[in-house]
Amino acid sequence: MPLTSIPDLIAAAQPGGLGAFNVIALEHAEAIAAAAESAKRPVVLQLSENTARYHGGLAPLALACLRIAADSDAAIAVHLDHATSTEFIHQAIDLGIRSVMYDGSALDYADNVAATTAITAWCHQRGVHIEAELGEVGGKDGVHAPGARTDPDEAVEFVNATGVDALAVAVGSSHAMHTRTAELDNDLIAHLAAKVPVPLVLHGSSGVPDHGLRGAVEHGMTKINIATRLNIRMTAAIREHLTQDPDLADPREYLAPARTAIRSEVEHFLRLLAV
């Protein structure tokens, strides 16, 4: 199926939320696409700067994701996640990626607005969907430091000033959580959804329990980003397989069950988000 735009995926996912899953290895992409086909739900394959750095460049995995999406029967978009440089965004678009997230959350507000505005205008000239992040200064987690909260009035001001198509907001989640104990502020989500004129994106969703994710969608969250949960399931499957057979040398023998574990987790989330 041809690549689907993020706005079309959002529409296809309604009244539920759109699941967006980070790809680190080829097995992630294969599993996510297979899960979307099985669940009959749209999905986003996301690639980050960190993942591109790990692979020595964006092209190898990005081109694989684009081909997997094109060959799938599911509605799939490929998205660049947490890009902090214009050069990296340019590379992604040159490769055929039509949706990017610029992360200027480590900048102060004025600098974030200026940088995001310029990148948004450049992307829109090329028909590229752009997501941005409004956050506090500093910190590894940026906007998603555990105590951070997005101010609705500032969010409206930011969107109007920059012209972005979607906004990642802080409502209680945090990146890279290994426990699902985050408590979201549903009243804030509803307030943001009522005021902000673009779809809202939840980062750090791996740390949110099932009922919290459903509640977030019901209160107006649109796109749900999940990464760490897939890696936890993948690693657990590999560890179990190698523990059972410590002499195993063929990586296909342990990557296959790892891919199945990722697929199962993605299917769970896709069905969960179809509220």
Side-chain angles (χ1 to χ4, degrees), residues 104-108 112 134-139 141-149:
S105 63
L107 304 173
D108 64 32
N112 191 1
L134 173 62
E136 59 187 13
V137 174
D141 295 319
V143 67
H144 289 97
R149 295 292 183 274

Side-chain angles (χ1 to χ4, degrees), residues 174 176-182 204-209 228-229 232:
S174 182
M177 286 185 66
H178 284 236
T179 59
R180 301 187 70 193
T181 56
S205 304
S206 291
V208 182
T228 302
R229 284 302 304 171
I232 290 172

Side-chain angles (χ1 to χ4, degrees), residues 98 118-128:
R98 312 308 296 166
I119 292 170
T120 298
W122 190 90
C123 287
H124 283 173
Q125 289 171 2
R126 291 154 179 81
V128 174

Side-chain angles (χ1 to χ4, degrees), residues 149 170-174 181-189 202-205 207-209 211-217 221 224:
R149 295 292 183 274
V171 293
S173 60
S174 182
T181 56
E183 296 184 11
L184 301 183
D185 187 337
N186 284 331
D187 289 340
L188 177 56
I189 293 173
L202 183 68
H203 286 230
S205 304
V208 182
H211 71 271
L213 293 178
R214 288 183 68 91
V217 172
M221 197 62 68
I224 308 297

